[in-house]
Amino acid sequence: MTESMRQEVLMGRTVAIGLQDFGELIRKNYFYIDKTAFIKEWWECGDSVTLITRPRRFGKTLNMKHAGAVFSVDYAGKGEVFQGLSVWADERYREIQGTYPVISLSFVNIKEKDYRITREKYVGC
């Protein structure tokens, strides 16, 4: 994809193709469709395990980054990032925002076909 395609402007805002950093997406005012209602639905469902399966390029990683940002202590005191989003309209989420340590693992760059090599590449042992 060419850089000019990446700079496509929609409704006066740049579409950031492939950007998966929620904070940067909001701070730079890139075009964004608010999917944070998913965070509320997921948080309130009570499941002990969640499996999210969607096709490639469907926003799985970005949704997980959103959830991580809402709950992560790394975003404590940064409520302005969430203003205007669905999740922020609910007082309960404003109260717990930035109060959890979040561990995030991504396998997006792991392309190995062998478990041993995958493990070495990912955890280094």
Side-chain angles (χ1 to χ4, degrees), residues 59-75:
K60 298 177 297 291
T61 301
L62 186 56
N63 277 334
M64 293 299 93
K65 296 273 186 168
H66 294 160
V70 167
F71 299 113
S72 175
V73 294
D74 292 339
Y75 277 80

Side-chain angles (χ1 to χ4, degrees), residues 8-76:
E8 175 185 347
V9 176
L10 182 62
M11 296 172 49
R13 291 160 83 182
T14 301
V15 176
I17 307 294
L19 179 63
Q20 296 176 346
D21 182 323
F22 177 68
E24 183 177 354
L25 188 77
I26 297 300
R27 281 189 296 277
K28 291 187 176 178
N29 198 31
Y30 288 130
F31 181 77
Y32 166 72
I33 296 173
D34 183 5
K35 296 182 190 177
T36 60
F38 164 79
I39 296 168
K40 291 169 48 177
E41 182 181 326
W42 167 73
W43 187 257
E44 295 169 7
C45 76
D47 292 342
S48 58
V49 174
T50 303
L51 175 63
I52 299 172
T53 59
R54 294 287 184 264
R56 262 184 106 240
R57 311 290 309 157
F58 201 79
K60 298 177 297 291
T61 301
L62 186 56
N63 277 334
M64 293 299 93
K65 296 273 186 168
H66 294 160
V70 167
F71 299 113
S72 175
V73 294
D74 292 339
Y75 277 80

Side-chain angles (χ1 to χ4, degrees), residues 93-106:
Y93 292 90
R94 290 193 304 270
E95 290 174 6
I96 63 173
Q97 187 276 318
T99 61
Y100 290 90
V102 173
I103 298 171
S104 179
L105 303 174
S106 175

